[in-house]
Amino acid sequence: MGVLPWVAWYAFRRHTAYPLSAFAEALTNTAFGFMRAYILVALWRERPALGGYDVADAVTFCFLTQALIGPVQIFGGMELTRRIRDGDVAIDLYRPVDLQGWWLADDLARGLAALLLRGGPPMVAGALVFPLRFPGPAGVAAFAVAVLLAMLVGFGLRYLVALGAFWLNDERGLHSAEVVLALFFSGMILPLVAFPGVLGEVARATPWAALIQVPADVFLGRHTGWGLVGALAFQAAWAAALLAAGRALTLAARRKLVIHGG
């Protein structure tokens, strides 16, 4: 077994070490899910076919997005940023392991842990109150692929932000800007199908749409056949582009490294 599977395994153990804490976060996500759900119900009652969704689609989308907050890490950053600020990243660069590969393995394990510990409660609670839509076995398999690709896109975006600390020394402004863009363009606040005209087209073409909107539409069965292939290809293309950009920026960062405090 190579190094990276071990990195992923120990990261998974670390992120599942405190299940009660994860459950508390899941309860918070669930509470916000109900607040968002009633707002969407009111909106869709006024506009019953908005964006091609019905009320059940909109409510399912709402609780699904709450379940995906942890896996795609909409709000969070990366520990790598602290290591860059502290200079500990020098140790990471000395390791005989690719920096990007190390943190990708760590992040995928974190995302899987979040999905297992935080993904279920919002969906279960929502299903007890609202008539949610659930896919069949084929839809579940397609959704699993879409979530994996969403986690790759999420990592690609956050990794680029983290590397910004090599030049900015403090990436918090960059991270805040990325979070705002992610909230707006991913569908986290409102499904992108509700965005009108050119704004909707632009929003659905951004990498943030691959985080929430595309997996949710796959879950709801709005993509079938070649449409499903196209949706997954959209995610895969953004994942590949962002990972390639991260690779190039990593090489540039190696020449920029400054260790604070001497």
Side-chain angles (χ1 to χ4, degrees):
M1 183 183 292
V3 174
L4 296 184
W6 283 108
V7 172
W9 170 242
Y10 282 108
F12 180 79
R13 291 180 61 184
R14 184 173 74 253
H15 289 289
T16 55
Y18 300 100
L20 288 180
S21 175
F23 184 68
E25 292 175 331
L27 289 181
T28 301
N29 292 342
T30 302
F32 277 99
F34 277 102
M35 287 187 282
R36 292 181 60 220
Y38 284 112
I39 293 172
L40 293 183
V41 167
L43 175 61
W44 255 264
R45 281 178 177 169
E46 292 295 321
R47 302 283 299 276
L50 180 62
Y53 279 18
D54 59 18
V55 173
D57 289 330
V59 173
T60 303
F61 182 97
C62 172
F63 285 101
L64 190 60
T65 58
Q66 295 301 120
L68 290 177
I69 287 176
V72 302
Q73 198 76 325
I74 286 285
F75 298 101
M78 295 182 65
E79 185 185 352
L80 175 60
T81 56
R82 179 193 61 77
R83 296 183 66 82
I84 294 173
R85 289 196 302 268
D86 295 345
D88 293 337
V89 72
I91 299 173
D92 299 341
L93 294 173
Y94 271 117
R95 292 189 182 114
V97 183
D98 176 66
L99 181 71
Q100 186 183 37
W102 177 288
W103 287 100
L104 176 58
D106 180 273
D107 198 67
L108 288 177
R110 178 210 55 76
L112 177 60
L115 183 64
L116 293 176
L117 295 177
R118 296 174 56 184
M123 295 299 294
V124 171
L128 292 175
V129 178
F130 298 98
L132 304 188
R133 298 192 189 280
F134 289 92
V140 170
F143 175 69
V145 175
V147 170
L148 174 60
L149 292 171
M151 288 194 292
L152 288 174
V153 173
F155 167 80
L157 290 165
R158 288 179 290 108
Y159 184 74
L160 290 174
V161 171
L163 291 183
F166 277 106
W167 286 268
L168 302 175
N169 295 329
D170 188 341
E171 87 302 333
R172 283 176 292 185
L174 191 61
H175 170 68
S176 298
E178 196 276 330
V179 169
V180 170
L181 290 171
L183 287 173
F184 187 76
F185 287 114
S186 69
M188 188 68 226
I189 295 177
L190 186 69
L192 299 185
V193 296
F195 285 27
V198 176
L199 177 60
E201 294 176 7
V202 171
R204 289 187 289 272
T206 65
W208 295 285
L211 297 179
I212 297 292
Q213 186 67 50
V214 174
D217 280 341
V218 170
F219 187 90
L220 292 170
R222 287 173 57 87
H223 296 301
T224 58
W226 286 110
L228 175 59
V229 173
L232 298 179
F234 169 80
Q235 289 182 289
W238 270 119
L242 291 167
L243 291 175
R247 171 72 59 187
L249 203 60
T250 300
L251 295 175
R254 285 180 176 271
R255 305 185 187 97
K256 184 67 179 177
L257 178 61
V258 175
I259 307 297
H260 293 284

